[in-house]
């Protein structure tokens, strides 16, 4: 694979602008807050522009941007003090399937709770594919895994979600 060099800030800006909608959608669905999504994307853009010389040596800037965004979202979620955590011993006591969402916020919460109920490796592939609008080849590059692994993580994650829906007659 030939690594492409990004020489100018204009080219960097163009790539970032092309990805803006998908980046925003991915960040919003990870964070659940419009302002946080906008802030994290702006911080990412500033960071990449400040590190232009280092970014010029990156082989695939799009994949680098998504990996950085994913990492930044994870860090922000860990920092939130209002984040609900559940002991692994009590996970069986939570019924994620009790009620249907009544509005967009409840739907967002339910989707994230469902994705959090499956292994992180599988939920991250699902998020990148659905919210980030990434192909499996791109996901494999972003996560540095084989394409077949990306596809199988997606399939197994979706299968687990389907089983949960079937089990609860949804």
């Amino acid at each position: 694979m030939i690594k492409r060099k990004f020489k100018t800030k204009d080219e960097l800006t163009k790539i970032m602008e092309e990805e803006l909608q998908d980046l925003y959608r991915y960040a919003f669905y990870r964070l659940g807050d419009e302002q946080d999504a906008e802030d994290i994307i702006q911080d990412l853009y500033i960071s990449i522009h400040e590190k232009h010389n280092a970014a010029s040596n990156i082989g695939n800037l799009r994949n680098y941007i998504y990996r950085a965004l994913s990492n930044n979202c994870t860090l922000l979620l860990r920092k939130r003090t209002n984040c609900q955590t559940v002991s692994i011993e009590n996970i069986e006591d939570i019924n994620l399937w009790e009620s249907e969402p009544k509005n967009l916020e409840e739907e967002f919460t339910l989707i994230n709770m469902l994705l959090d109920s499956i292994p992180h490796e599988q939920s991250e592939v699902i998020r990148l594919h659905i919210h980030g609008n990434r192909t499996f080849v791109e996901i494999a590059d972003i996560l540095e895994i084989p394409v077949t692994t990306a596809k199988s993580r997606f399939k197994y994650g979706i299968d687990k979600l389907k089983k949960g829906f079937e089990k609860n007659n949804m």
Side-chain angles (χ1 to χ4, degrees):
M1 179 174 151
I2 297 174
K3 295 209 178 232
R4 183 169 180 232
K5 306 293 184 195
F6 298 91
K7 302 291 183 194
T8 67
K9 284 191 177 185
D10 290 337
E11 188 174 4
L12 205 71
T13 300
K14 181 182 178 206
I15 290 169
M16 293 161 78
E17 286 173 356
E18 289 172 357
E19 296 295 323
L20 183 60
Q21 284 185 325
D22 289 338
L23 290 168
Y24 176 77
R25 182 175 47 249
Y26 175 83
F28 175 75
Y29 278 103
R30 279 295 304 273
L31 302 173
D33 183 87
E34 286 181 53
Q35 190 63 46
D36 284 347
E38 289 173 6
D39 289 347
I40 207 162
I41 290 171
Q42 183 177 19
D43 291 346
L44 176 66
Y45 284 0
I46 290 169
S47 173
I48 290 174
H49 275 285
E50 287 175 349
K51 298 175 185 173
H52 174 256
N53 290 336
S56 66
N57 293 322
I58 295 169
N60 188 324
L61 186 60
R62 281 182 173 87
N63 292 347
Y64 173 82
I65 290 169
Y66 275 93
R67 172 168 275 196
L69 181 61
S70 174
N71 291 341
N72 291 346
C73 287
T74 300
L75 288 174
L76 181 62
L77 289 169
R78 286 180 183 158
K79 288 180 184 177
R80 286 186 177 166
T81 56
N82 63 351
C83 183
Q84 180 184 8
T85 58
V86 176
S87 168
I88 193 73
E89 291 84 26
N90 298 331
I91 196 75
E92 295 297 324
D93 297 338
I94 298 173
N95 188 351
L96 300 174
W97 316 93
E98 286 178 345
S99 63
E100 292 186 33
K102 296 176 182 75
N103 58 42
L104 188 58
E105 285 180 18
E106 284 186 17
E107 182 176 321
F108 165 80
T109 301
L110 179 61
I111 289 170
N112 274 333
M113 287 179 69
L114 292 172
L115 287 173
D116 288 344
S117 74
I118 64 175
H120 175 72
E121 295 82 13
Q122 294 170 1
S123 66
E124 188 61 17
V125 170
I126 292 170
R127 284 180 170 115
L128 284 167
H129 187 64
I130 294 175
H131 303 316
N133 201 28
R134 302 291 94 199
T135 67
F136 289 114
V137 172
E138 291 170 326
I139 293 168
D141 285 342
I142 292 167
L143 299 177
E144 296 178 344
I145 58 175
V147 176
T148 53
T149 301
K151 289 178 179 179
S152 65
R153 286 181 182 177
F154 182 83
K155 180 191 180 317
Y156 293 136
I158 294 295
D159 287 348
K160 286 178 183 175
L161 293 174
K162 283 181 183 177
K163 284 179 187 173
F165 281 111
E166 290 169 1
K167 178 181 170 185
N168 292 284
N169 298 318
M170 292 185 82

